[in-house]
Amino acid sequence: VERTLSIIKPDATKRNLTGKINAKFEDAGLRIVAQKRIKLTKEQAGVFYEVHKERPFYDELCAFMASEPVVVQVLEGEGAIAKNREVMGATNPADAAPGTVRAEFAESVGENSVHGSDAPETAAAEIAYFFSGLELV
Ligand code: ATP
Ligand code: MG
């Protein structure tokens, strides 16, 4: 079974939306197999989003991700990576399909409530960034 790394971002934790977002994941058949609330430093957010370091929004993105606690989680299920991204909706909430997390909750293209890994390689690396083997059963 596939696993993916999900983050409930600061705009969503601040508005107390963790349970509502988790319900969407569970309703789609994804199982939350690990989950914790942490507060990233700007540096830790920068390492996580290193692939975007040349993009104009990188500094703003890192500051946002460090602004409030986040909930990091591992979701498991058949085709979990694609399924999670389907439940998340498009990056820009204006383009997100009705019923998706971003359509319902995201505030802007930057403050868009959730992150999800985009491929098996990034999922493995991102899970290992946040969780130890002992935390994954
Ligand atoms: P994520 O990687 O967070 O799951 P994504 O894969 O849909 O989202 P990416 O293109 O990987 O989108 O961008 C990573 C994150 O950077 C976005 O989720 C968003 O928070 C931020 N971002 C992307 N584009 C912009 C933009 N034009 N302006 C501001 N922030 C942006
Ligand atoms: Mg991405």
Side-chain angles (χ1 to χ4, degrees):
V1 213
E2 195 169 73
R3 288 181 169 186
T4 191
L5 190 279
S6 166
I7 304 178
I8 301 180
K9 294 183 178 181
D11 66 285
T13 61
K14 190 163 63 182
R15 288 176 291 149
N16 209 21
L17 294 171
T18 300
K20 288 197 171 90
I21 292 171
N22 280 348
K24 286 192 180 292
F25 294 149
E26 292 183 341
D27 288 349
L30 292 164
R31 181 177 297 275
I32 301 161
V33 298
Q35 172 169 268
K36 59 190 173 189
R37 183 172 182 266
I38 59 174
K39 188 155 191 299
L40 295 171
T41 64
K42 240 192 119 176
E43 291 67 35
Q44 290 165 338
V47 171
F48 181 75
Y49 273 126
E50 198 132 47
V51 290
H52 296 306
K53 69 169 178 288
E54 305 304 334
R55 312 266 288 268
F57 55 80
Y58 180 69
D59 280 347
E60 180 193 336
L61 175 61
C62 296
F64 164 62
M65 291 299 288
S67 65
E68 294 277 337
V70 296
V71 173
V72 293
Q73 50 192 191
V74 179
L75 306 180
E76 181 182 270
E78 292 301 333
I81 296 168
K83 187 175 283 183
N84 179 38
R85 291 184 68 85
E86 200 178 301
V87 176
M88 288 161 57
T91 309
N92 186 341
D95 303 328
T100 60
V101 172
R102 283 165 168 168
E104 281 189 27
F105 303 123
E107 308 205 280
S108 66
V109 65
E111 307 205 358
N112 60 1
S113 303
V114 281
H115 162 84
S117 308
D118 57 13
E121 303 71 37
T122 49
E126 291 176 2
I127 289 169
Y129 187 62
F130 289 114
F131 293 94
S132 74
L134 283 173
E135 293 175 300
L136 296 166
V137 293

